[in-house]
Amino acid sequence: MNPQFKPKLHSGSTTGCDTSLLERQQARTKWQQNHAFFNGDDDDHHHHLQNMFNSMPLTQQQFSGLIDDHPRLDEVKPDPGMQERWPDFGGGVYGDQLGYGYMNQNTLVNQTFLQGNSGSVSVSVSPKKRKTDEGQSLQLVSEKEKRIKGCAEEGDSKITHQYSNCDNKSSNNSKEASTNTSSKEKSKVSEVQKPDYIHVRARRGQATDSHSLAERVRREKISERMKYLQDLVPGCNKITGKAGMLDEIINYVQSLQKQVEFLSMKLATVNPELDFNIDNVFMKEMFQSSTSEFPALGCSPETANSAYFQLSSLEQAVSCCGLDMGMNSTEMALRRSISVPTSVPGTFMDSSCFNQIQPTATWDADLQNLYKMEFEQGTLIPFQSHQFTGLNEGSNLKMEM
Amino acid sequence: MSPSQQPSSHNPTCLIKNRFAHRFVRALNNLNIKNRSPHDENQIYRRSHRVKIAAYAAMASVVGSKRAWSRAVLWKVRNRSRNQGLLVSSRRKRVDCKSKTSNDHHAKVSVVRRRNPNPKREDLDPFRYSGQELKLRKLVPGAATMDSCCLMDETADYIKCLAAQVEVMKTLVDFYTTT
């Protein structure tokens, strides 16, 4: 259904219009047949038909009447007068929105089979429904069409059911024939329905459809993300409405930023008195608290470290060398390669110094490996740049102090 | 490192937290090495400012260049460092630089507003160019030139990262203060 639908939707060309005109013409005649057959030439027959499907007891006479009428209606069918008269069926719906009227009539036919009297109600309702549904996704449309089709099929089955159930005076043969013809007509209706409906959508939606669709998609995206944000921001679940939610989000972001500021202030005041050992403790604590995740993650911080060292050796070793040089190089390398993320501050500075001053083969190889790994992960370039900036930042901080 | 997050060992936020902690601690170390005891109030203020920037830079570098906000932060930090490298460390000039950047920010916002091709849209969609959204754009780094869809996305990520950052910093402060 969709492949048929899509090209039609996007066909803004004149050829599409021509073909669609032809189709419409055919469909019109077909519909006329159907209409003439099912609903009758006049309201009486329509009424009869409806009643037939509504009320079982009455079926006999009307059914026979229908069969009697049938040949006559067939004769009437090619009448040009009918064709002239035909636009009147749809009333004002026809004209520009011809397809709509047509659809409605079809649905009317279907629904009269199913629901009888409610079919007339559906005529008045369905144009609005179509209009509101117009811009909706293709799935919905196809679903709708399926539903309509199912409707028709249901109608068919119902017809046959009713026909077979009722014990009327007319012969079995004629009954069979009538059911066959009716089902045929029914299938024709459902066949005709599809392309015309699609065509309608194509014709109507062209100017606004892409816009409205895009807009809808955009709005859906935004609302989806708003939902996601709602989950993130605490206390945002109770608030309905985008404005309130945005307010809450803004407040939350602001509070977080303020918290960062406050914490950095605290760190700035607290830091000097306490020496480097503390972050060693912190790392240990982190290691203990998240032992489960470090073996898995151990690689990436390690690579980060190594890359950092490499860069730092290029960048700022001059500033930081000459602190304490008493560290054993092999021990350092071991520690790093085991990937225990303990960053003892002294050793950390020392390692970079060491790397700068006397690069041993093993350490370098280690670094290279890790670096390559980072490269394989495909995040080398941004990573490098960030390291760089971070370092720049750090060095600048140092410079300023 | 709240206990609730321990079971989810492969949680991306945990990974982010760890990396951020690494970098931030390193940056703090750098700061500490250079300047051990700022007893002056002014110095403390500058220091806290630096710590803050270090925290943001660490977070942004952890997130990488895949996010607009982190890109913006990194760009800002780099520019700042570059400018300061050129201008040595004169406070007044830094202030100038800061005001300049903030002006740039405003200019960007106004440009975005002007670029809006359909002025009717503004009325139709009160959400899009509402004051709130502008506020949010000012809060989230690099959000001045986004469309609202991206803005929501970036805001979500930014909030996540900020929350992680705050958590790590809190634990850091706890450790520093208790021991």
Side-chain angles (χ1 to χ4, degrees):
Chain A
M1 201 161 287
N2 275 341
Q4 278 184 346
F5 179 75
K6 272 173 187 171
K8 289 237 169 180
L9 181 72
H10 296 297
S11 72
S13 60
T14 52
T15 55
C17 271
D18 286 339
T19 52
S20 64
L21 267 172
L22 268 172
E23 278 176 17
R24 203 188 305 149
Q25 196 66 28
Q26 288 172 358
R28 188 183 289 180
T29 52
K30 272 182 188 174
W31 173 80
Q32 198 182 331
Q33 291 171 14
N34 296 332
H35 192 77
F37 174 66
F38 287 118
N39 294 345
D41 197 6
D42 44 5
D43 279 354
D44 270 343
H45 286 261
H46 187 71
H47 188 64
H48 280 307
L49 202 69
Q50 282 182 354
N51 277 338
M52 178 177 80
F53 293 121
N54 273 339
S55 51
M56 285 292 287
L58 286 176
T59 329
Q60 292 183 357
Q61 304 149 7
Q62 276 142 12
F63 179 67
S64 58
L66 182 76
I67 287 170
D68 287 343
D69 284 341
H70 184 57
R72 191 167 58 87
L73 288 173
D74 269 343
E75 284 171 12
V76 170
K77 195 172 27 177
D79 191 7
M82 262 296 279
Q83 281 194 334
E84 280 173 15
R85 214 144 45 97
W86 181 73
D88 294 333
F89 278 112
V93 188
Y94 290 93
D96 229 357
Q97 311 171 354
L98 182 127
Y100 272 125
Y102 178 68
M103 264 309 294
N104 294 333
Q105 291 300 325
N106 272 337
T107 50
L108 171 70
V109 171
N110 287 334
Q111 281 167 358
T112 46
F113 273 99
L114 262 184
Q115 299 153 355
N117 284 333
S118 64
S120 58
V121 177
S122 77
V123 175
S124 57
V125 170
S126 53
K128 274 180 194 170
K129 241 166 84 184
R130 300 254 174 250
K131 269 170 198 170
T132 50
D133 287 343
E134 185 193 17
Q136 279 188 4
S137 58
L138 305 181
Q139 290 179 351
L140 222 160
V141 171
S142 59
E143 273 176 18
K144 216 170 203 173
E145 283 185 353
K146 271 179 200 165
R147 208 185 60 199
I148 288 165
K149 210 179 171 186
C151 225
E153 282 165 9
E154 260 189 327
D156 275 345
S157 60
K158 232 182 182 177
I159 290 159
T160 49
H161 184 66
Q162 283 179 348
Y163 277 21
S164 57
N165 269 350
C166 63
D167 298 326
N168 46 4
K169 288 163 188 171
S170 59
S171 65
N172 277 331
N173 288 333
S174 64
K175 225 197 297 178
E176 285 289 318
S178 69
T179 51
N180 281 339
T181 49
S182 69
S183 61
K184 265 182 197 171
E185 296 287 333
K186 236 13 226 177
S187 63
K188 259 187 199 170
V189 168
S190 57
E191 272 171 17
V192 167
Q193 235 171 348
K194 271 187 281 175
D196 203 68
Y197 182 49
I198 291 155
H199 161 68
V200 166
R201 281 183 52 85
R203 235 182 113 234
R204 290 217 29 153
Q206 266 172 8
T208 56
D209 207 29
S210 63
H211 279 277
S212 60
L213 270 180
E215 188 64 18
R216 182 167 291 108
V217 165
R218 194 185 76 86
R219 247 180 274 131
E220 270 170 16
K221 257 188 191 172
I222 288 176
S223 60
E224 183 187 308
R225 266 144 214 191
M226 284 293 256
K227 263 180 201 165
Y228 183 58
L229 271 171
Q230 215 173 9
D231 292 339
L232 278 180
V233 177
C236 206
N237 290 323
K238 292 145 199 164
I239 299 163
T240 52
K242 273 178 183 172
M245 256 162 70
L246 257 185
D247 264 337
E248 198 65 23
I249 288 163
I250 288 166
N251 284 339
Y252 188 59
V253 171
Q254 266 174 341
S255 75
L256 280 175
Q257 281 175 346
K258 269 172 196 164
Q259 260 181 315
V260 166
E261 205 156 328
F262 174 72
L263 286 169
S264 62
M265 185 91 86
K266 241 184 177 178
L267 279 173
T269 53
V270 157
N271 229 3
E273 284 96 41
L274 305 155
D275 239 355
F276 303 116
N277 299 329
I278 288 142
D279 50 42
N280 194 9
V281 172
F282 170 70
M283 281 303 163
K284 267 183 194 167
E285 191 75 17
M286 269 185 63
F287 190 66
Q288 281 167 4
S289 68
S290 58
T291 31
S292 59
E293 68 199 63
F294 255 117
L297 306 178
C299 192
S300 43
E302 190 48 36
T303 50
N305 274 342
S306 59
Y308 177 80
F309 285 140
Q310 213 173 36
L311 279 168
S312 67
S313 65
L314 294 172
E315 267 288 298
Q316 55 162 186
V318 185
S319 64
C320 57
C321 70
L323 281 173
D324 31 2
M325 308 285 290
M327 287 302 291
N328 193 1
S329 64
T330 52
E331 208 178 286
M332 273 302 302
L334 248 174
R335 280 176 88 171
R336 292 292 165 197
S337 59
I338 290 162
S339 83
V340 180
T342 49
S343 77
V344 186
T347 61
F348 144 68
M349 289 319 290
D350 204 49
S351 67
S352 65
C353 294
F354 168 75
N355 198 15
Q356 165 72 15
I357 292 160
Q358 30 174 282
T360 49
T362 53
W363 179 235
D364 256 10
D366 230 331
L367 270 181
Q368 286 301 319
N369 282 337
L370 291 165
Y371 216 65
K372 270 173 191 166
M373 250 167 61
E374 192 69 32
F375 189 72
E376 277 166 10
Q377 282 168 7
T379 55
L380 175 65
I381 295 155
F383 185 73
Q384 211 170 10
S385 66
H386 302 332
Q387 286 290 346
F388 213 75
T389 53
L391 271 176
N392 262 347
E393 211 262 328
S395 60
N396 266 297
L397 295 183
K398 274 178 192 167
M399 293 289 276
E400 284 166 22
M401 291 304 243
Chain B
M1 295 304 111
S2 61
S4 65
Q5 277 168 341
Q6 276 184 30
S8 56
S9 59
H10 299 289
N11 199 352
T13 56
C14 268
L15 194 141
I16 284 172
K17 271 182 200 167
N18 279 324
R19 286 183 176 181
F20 168 71
H22 273 262
R23 280 174 203 230
F24 187 55
V25 166
R26 215 176 290 138
L28 281 181
N29 284 334
N30 287 351
L31 282 175
N32 286 341
I33 285 162
K34 261 318 209 184
N35 198 349
R36 282 185 184 247
S37 52
H39 294 299
D40 190 8
E41 206 164 283
N42 201 4
Q43 262 185 327
I44 283 176
Y45 170 74
R46 281 172 65 189
R47 188 190 170 77
S48 73
H49 187 64
R50 258 171 233 139
V51 167
K52 192 180 81 180
I53 286 169
Y56 278 129
M59 198 69 229
S61 61
V62 163
V63 169
S65 64
K66 64 192 169 189
R67 284 286 170 185
W69 69 265
S70 59
R71 260 177 280 152
V73 167
L74 287 170
W75 190 77
K76 222 185 262 178
V77 165
R78 196 185 304 168
N79 267 12
R80 181 176 170 275
S81 60
R82 197 179 289 157
N83 286 340
Q84 284 173 359
L86 288 174
L87 304 172
V88 200
S89 63
S90 152
R91 212 175 162 205
R92 192 186 297 162
K93 281 183 180 172
R94 204 184 308 137
V95 167
D96 282 348
C97 173
K98 223 193 253 173
S99 65
K100 205 170 135 197
T101 51
S102 65
N103 277 340
D104 279 349
H105 190 75
H106 287 299
K108 262 181 206 163
V109 169
S110 62
V111 162
V112 168
R113 264 184 152 181
R114 238 183 289 135
R115 238 185 245 156
N116 184 15
N118 191 359
K120 271 184 195 169
R121 274 282 168 84
E122 234 167 293
D123 303 327
L124 286 177
D125 196 353
F127 169 71
R128 192 167 193 176
Y129 290 98
S130 61
Q132 284 169 327
E133 196 172 314
L134 276 180
K135 236 191 245 173
L136 194 61
R137 277 178 200 281
K138 278 171 196 168
L139 283 178
V140 178
T145 52
M146 288 175 204
D147 60 335
S148 38
C149 207
C150 282
L151 176 71
M152 292 295 124
D153 224 5
E154 292 294 324
T155 310
D157 195 68
Y158 186 58
I159 283 174
K160 240 198 232 165
C161 290
L162 261 187
Q165 189 179 345
V166 164
E167 214 169 303
V168 169
M169 283 173 89
K170 263 181 190 166
T171 51
L172 264 180
V173 167
D174 281 347
F175 278 119
Y176 278 125
T177 47
T178 48
T179 49

